[in-house]
Amino acid sequence: DVKVTQSSRYLVKRTGEKVFLECVQDMDHENMFWYRQDPGLGLRLIYFSYDVKMKEKGDIPEGYSVSREKKERFSLILESASTNQTSMYLCASSFPPEGAGGYTFGSGTRLTVV
Amino acid sequence: AQSVTQLDSQVPVFEEAPVELRCNYSSSVSVYLFWYVQYPNQGLQLLLKYLSGSTLVKGINGFEAEFNKSQTSFHLRKPSVHISDTAEYFCAVTRNRDDKIIFGKGTRLHILP
């Protein structure tokens, strides 16, 4: 069964900490995405990557960075966590062309910043 | 720019009753359309997709959706819902095969006993 695996389901961090959210896919997908999901706001794209060592900003990249050193792994980094980054974070991947097959999502990481 | 509007943020429905979740999109060109489902504390799962061909698309768990180009709609339907259908449903659109997918804000389906 193909999968997108997010390393943590629940995470609690302190304000100012550097936070790493890890995502690994085993489908040999080229494209990977990070979203955050908040009530009433739906899914908002933070960053995406179409290839190793490639990254592009999504709609809300401020306060975040990403790393893609290997094809299967896409990490989201909160440089200095703040309470307004408390959210559900979803990783997704797809094989191009992405519009044809849709995305495969991980189970999500619920991050609380205190 | 494309956009997706899910007209209802919440839909309550009695168990075994039919349900329709509404979705409208804005695009002046051909589109590809998707419905995703998110069960509590889980990620999103693809329910069905329309790429071309028949305008009536059947998905998993007894759901189906109809693409209506003239009304720019892609409503999701199920003839008889179960308690296990309690979830949030997201409509999504992309303009072509190489574009990112744009998601609606979601509709929470509440099944009443």
Side-chain angles (χ1 to χ4, degrees):
Chain A
D1 195 19
V2 293
K3 268 187 188 173
V4 176
T5 302
Q6 294 184 234
S7 53
S8 304
R9 290 299 302 275
Y10 300 93
L11 215 50
V12 180
K13 295 293 182 180
R14 295 196 179 277
T15 301
E17 275 192 76
K18 191 169 185 175
V19 180
F20 293 85
L21 303 184
E22 306 288 346
C23 175
V24 177
Q25 50 95 2
D26 64 1
M27 296 168 282
D28 202 31
H29 280 174
E30 312 266 326
N31 308 330
M32 297 188 76
F33 308 85
W34 274 106
Y35 289 87
R36 64 176 283 176
Q37 182 182 14
D38 300 287
L41 298 178
L43 276 71
R44 292 182 290 169
L45 183 63
I46 305 172
Y47 267 97
F48 60 99
S49 168
Y50 286 155
D51 201 354
V52 176
K53 296 193 185 294
M54 178 269 183
K55 61 185 179 184
E56 293 225 21
K57 293 180 180 179
D59 301 317
I60 53 163
E62 296 77 21
Y64 303 94
S65 63
V66 289
S67 171
R68 193 164 181 202
E69 295 296 317
K70 293 184 178 181
K71 188 177 186 179
E72 66 271 18
R73 185 181 296 270
F74 192 38
S75 303
L76 180 69
I77 304 158
L78 285 65
E79 298 292 343
S80 177
S82 64
T83 54
N84 63 14
Q85 292 178 310
T86 291
S87 186
M88 170 73 115
Y89 289 87
L90 293 167
C91 176
S93 71
S94 74
F95 192 76
E98 60 195 288
Y103 298 164
T104 301
F105 283 85
S107 297
T109 296
R110 191 168 291 282
L111 173 66
T112 302
V113 183
V114 298
Chain B
Q2 303 167 75
S3 66
V4 180
T5 302
Q6 292 185 244
L7 297 160
D8 305 295
S9 59
Q10 297 191 64
V11 172
V13 62
F14 286 104
E15 197 169 11
E16 298 184 9
V19 69
E20 178 179 85
L21 305 183
R22 297 180 292 168
C23 172
N24 286 89
Y25 65 91
S26 66
S27 176
S28 59
V29 297
S30 298
V31 293
Y32 300 95
L33 294 153
F34 306 83
W35 275 99
Y36 285 82
V37 59
Q38 184 181 33
Y39 297 106
N41 296 313
Q42 294 188 27
L44 277 70
Q45 177 183 351
L46 183 64
L47 204 52
L48 50 81
K49 61 185 177 183
Y50 171 79
L51 303 181
S52 64
S54 172
T55 56
L56 184 64
V57 181
K58 293 192 183 299
I60 60 172
N61 301 338
F63 283 92
E64 63 181 32
E66 185 156 20
F67 171 56
N68 188 319
K69 189 174 181 179
S70 62
Q71 297 187 4
T72 61
S73 69
F74 190 55
H75 300 334
L76 182 70
R77 301 185 182 102
K78 186 170 183 178
S80 174
V81 296
H82 303 283
I83 196 75
S84 59
D85 293 322
T86 298
E88 188 158 20
Y89 293 80
F90 292 89
C91 182
V93 63
T94 183
R95 184 179 54 187
N96 63 54
R97 293 161 66 91
D98 295 315
D99 267 357
K100 286 190 297 302
I101 296 174
I102 307 299
F103 290 87
K105 288 187 169 25
T107 298
R108 286 194 180 275
L109 179 61
H110 296 281
I111 309 300
L112 307 171

